[in-house]
């Protein structure tokens, strides 16, 4: 289950791709029972769907779910950043600066957002957001593999950092919203 789930999130199993019970049995060297259990769990979590007499498929991306996740991220993260502006310390600001430097050195999944959640003791909220983002996580992965302007993303993170340092709450909210919605604007037609 965990292996297949990660392959779906990483887009190694693509949206709409058929998942063959026989192939999974052979690949993992197991009988049909654990494979069916894994597929049932994937279905319960929204990663797969079974179409009678046709097979089991990776669920398609849901544009509506992605929009709702971005909306929730903007709402929650805006509130967390407001709290963060009141409690930021030089050490936490250095953590953010370091995260941006790492992104410049090696383009990778940014950890910057999780830093301010941790600084205001909202790690559980961050974990909940991450766990509920099935469609959004796959969307971000699709965006990541099709994005060519990584310096734009890093520039947005640097802008967010400057706004945090200046304690510019209004500018920060607008920049965060633009940052989180940018990929949706760029990728919308592809997903539709």
């Amino acid at each position: 289950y965990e292996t297949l789930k990660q392959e779906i999130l990483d887009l190694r199993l693509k949206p709409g791709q058929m998942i063959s019970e026989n192939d999974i049995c052979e690949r993992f060297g197991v009988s049909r029972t654990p494979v069916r259990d894994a597929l049932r769990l994937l279905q319960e979590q929204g990663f797969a769907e079974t179409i009678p007499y046709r097979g089991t498929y990776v669920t398609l991306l849901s544009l509506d779910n992605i929009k709702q996740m971005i909306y929730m991220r903007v709402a929650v993260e805006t509130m967390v950043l407001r709290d963060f502006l009141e409690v930021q310390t030089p050490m936490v600001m250095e953590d953010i600066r370091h995260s941006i430097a790492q992104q410049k050195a090696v383009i990778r999944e940014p950890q910057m957002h999780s830093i301010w959640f941790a600084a205001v003791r909202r790690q559980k909220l961050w974990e909940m957001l991450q766990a509920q983002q099935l469609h959004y996580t796959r969307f971000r992965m699709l965006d990541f593999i099709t994005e060519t302007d990584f310096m734009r993303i890093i520039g947005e993170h640097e802008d967010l950092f400057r706004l945090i340092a200046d304690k510019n709450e209004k500018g920060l909210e607008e920049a965060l919203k633009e940052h989180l919605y940018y990929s949706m604007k760029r990728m919308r037609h592809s997903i539709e």
Side-chain angles (χ1 to χ4, degrees), residues 150-180:
F150 294 109
M151 293 312 291
R152 178 196 54 78
I153 296 169
I154 292 169
E156 288 176 3
H157 286 170
E158 290 173 326
D159 290 343
L160 289 168
F161 179 79
R162 277 191 291 280
L163 291 165
I164 290 169
D166 294 343
K167 296 191 177 201
N168 182 342
E169 186 176 315
K170 185 165 178 56
L172 187 56
E173 289 178 20
E174 287 302 313
L176 178 67
K177 185 183 277 188
E178 181 64 27
H179 173 62
L180 293 176

Side-chain angles (χ1 to χ4, degrees), residues 14-189:
K14 295 174 181 28
Q17 182 177 337
M18 184 176 189
I19 303 172
S20 164
E21 278 187 28
N22 291 336
D23 290 348
I24 296 170
C25 289
E26 185 176 312
R27 178 177 165 198
F28 291 97
V30 295
S31 68
R32 287 189 181 276
T33 301
V35 170
R36 287 183 178 151
D37 288 344
L39 292 177
R40 181 185 46 76
L41 285 171
L42 289 170
Q43 288 176 45
E44 288 174 5
Q45 298 295 315
F47 291 95
E49 64 181 336
T50 297
I51 300 173
Y53 307 108
R54 295 193 66 208
T56 302
Y57 297 85
V58 176
T59 55
L60 296 174
L61 291 171
S62 167
L63 189 59
D64 185 55
N65 286 349
I66 294 166
K67 286 180 188 176
Q68 289 183 53
M69 284 308 306
I70 294 172
Y71 182 88
M72 184 171 70
R73 286 257 335 250
V74 168
V76 171
E77 211 156 332
T78 297
M79 294 302 296
V80 167
L81 278 170
R82 285 181 188 158
D83 292 345
F84 179 72
L85 291 178
E86 295 176 20
V87 302
Q88 71 187 29
T89 65
M91 287 302 293
V92 175
M93 292 299 285
E94 189 54 39
D95 287 344
I96 295 172
R97 188 184 333 273
H98 180 70
S99 175
I100 292 170
Q102 285 180 312
Q103 291 170 32
K104 284 181 178 177
V106 179
I107 301 298
R108 65 178 184 81
E109 185 66 21
Q111 299 299 316
M112 189 180 78
H113 297 264
S114 65
I115 292 170
W116 49 69
F117 276 82
V120 296
R121 299 171 48 140
R122 303 285 191 280
Q123 298 97 319
K124 185 65 177 171
L125 187 54
W126 178 253
E127 291 167 12
M128 288 168 53
L129 280 172
Q130 298 305 299
Q132 296 302 313
Q133 299 188 100
L134 163 64
H135 295 286
Y136 184 61
T137 299
R138 293 190 299 160
F139 167 74
R140 282 181 29 221
M141 182 59 69
L142 182 62
D143 181 43
F144 187 76
I145 61 176
T146 60
E147 175 64 76
T148 57
D149 189 6
F150 294 109
M151 293 312 291
R152 178 196 54 78
I153 296 169
I154 292 169
E156 288 176 3
H157 286 170
E158 290 173 326
D159 290 343
L160 289 168
F161 179 79
R162 277 191 291 280
L163 291 165
I164 290 169
D166 294 343
K167 296 191 177 201
N168 182 342
E169 186 176 315
K170 185 165 178 56
L172 187 56
E173 289 178 20
E174 287 302 313
L176 178 67
K177 185 183 277 188
E178 181 64 27
H179 173 62
L180 293 176
Y181 274 106
Y182 181 83
S183 296
M184 174 58 76
K185 292 175 189 171
R186 189 175 71 76
M187 300 277 295
R188 179 186 184 120
H189 297 293

